Amino acid sequence: MEARMEEIRGKVARNERLSREDGIFLYESSDIISLGEMARSQKERVSSRQVFFNANHHINLTNVCVNACRFCAFGIDEDAPGAYLMSVDDALEWAAKAEDSGITEFHVVSACHPEMGFEYYEEVISRLHERWQEVHIQAFTAVEIAHFAKISGLSLKEVLLRLQKAGLGSIPGGGAEILKDSIRTQVCPKKALTDEWLEVHSIAHDLGINTNCTMLYGHIESHADRIDHFIALRELQDRHPGFQAFVALPFLPDNTGLAHIERTSAVDDIKTIAISRLMLDNIPHIKAFWVMMGVDVAQLALHFGADDFDGTVFEEKIMHAAGANSKKGLSREEILRIIKDAGFQAVERDTIYNIIREY
């Protein structure tokens, strides 16, 4: 075991790409100290002592969804108690709640509503962009983009071009879950399959739209499935570069169809951050998403390869519906303290990693 770890350590030191077998070994190893040392060294090659964050505001347009994913506690039927749908004016009113806090990003993710046409989503982006031209709009997962194509009869490229014209700046990474159809058909059978998720991001990158990527882990997948997921992302980035950051999303089981599954451990979360840094050698940034990991684990993840703490968020709904016990938002001052206490330099960025201020 020690010899195998030293072999991988040598690859990392020489900046050589890790194999599928390397990744599986790292997941099954208990040597978390060596794993952390390697991941941190790779992080420092990319961003030295810097840890990034941004001031963003989440806008979740509706919780009514046709997909009925087993792992989701947010999406519900149209006639269920608590169902809601924002009008375009409602979305602008919600956006305005954060306009005095110095935000630089609207993060618009939602559900796939059975009745709303593509023009509704297009108008939301257009109106947000018209009113707050200085605020970057990161909106709609690849699953939502695929849904828009289905309900409109447009191609994926046509949908993306129209959203880009309306003011879309970039695309979040949600909806990837595990990029393996045998798993997707069990946990999210109505959702876009692997090839379609990858195709949306490929087209977006070719159009000059940067995106993020994610992995929802800790449900029915194996360690090998996680590594295959990383390799699929890495290979897409080789062919169609445009991924800015990877976001590890631990599965939160409360109020879901998989509530019998235990929440991932802090060790699993930290290992996943570190292994993502080592496997995704062509994706520059690794996010410790405090909303799902919790602030303490996300802070520790900064020592295991993460170089981004995500953002202020303002009020997140989707993850909290599944039992996230973190705050629904953090102030700029709280994030600065968390990063400083971890021993790093806080850097405020915009959505596409232009530096706004170094603290």
Side-chain angles (χ1 to χ4, degrees), residues 12 145 276:
V12 172
I145 300 296
S276 69

CSV table of all heavy atoms in Angstrom, one decimal, residues 12 145 276:
chain,number,residue,atom,x,y,z
A,12,VAL,N,2.0,12.8,-9.1
A,12,VAL,CA,1.6,14.1,-8.8
A,12,VAL,C,2.7,15.1,-8.9
A,12,VAL,O,2.6,16.2,-9.4
A,12,VAL,CB,0.9,14.1,-7.4
A,12,VAL,CG1,0.5,15.5,-7.0
A,12,VAL,CG2,-0.4,13.3,-7.5
A,145,ILE,N,-31.6,23.2,-19.5
A,145,ILE,CA,-31.4,23.5,-21.0
A,145,ILE,C,-32.0,22.4,-21.8
A,145,ILE,O,-32.7,22.7,-22.8
A,145,ILE,CB,-29.9,23.7,-21.3
A,145,ILE,CG1,-29.3,24.8,-20.4
A,145,ILE,CG2,-29.7,23.9,-22.8
A,145,ILE,CD1,-29.8,26.2,-20.7
A,276,SER,N,-10.9,14.8,-6.3
A,276,SER,CA,-11.3,15.6,-7.5
A,276,SER,C,-10.2,16.6,-7.9
A,276,SER,O,-10.0,16.7,-9.1
A,276,SER,CB,-12.6,16.4,-7.2
A,276,SER,OG,-12.3,17.5,-6.2
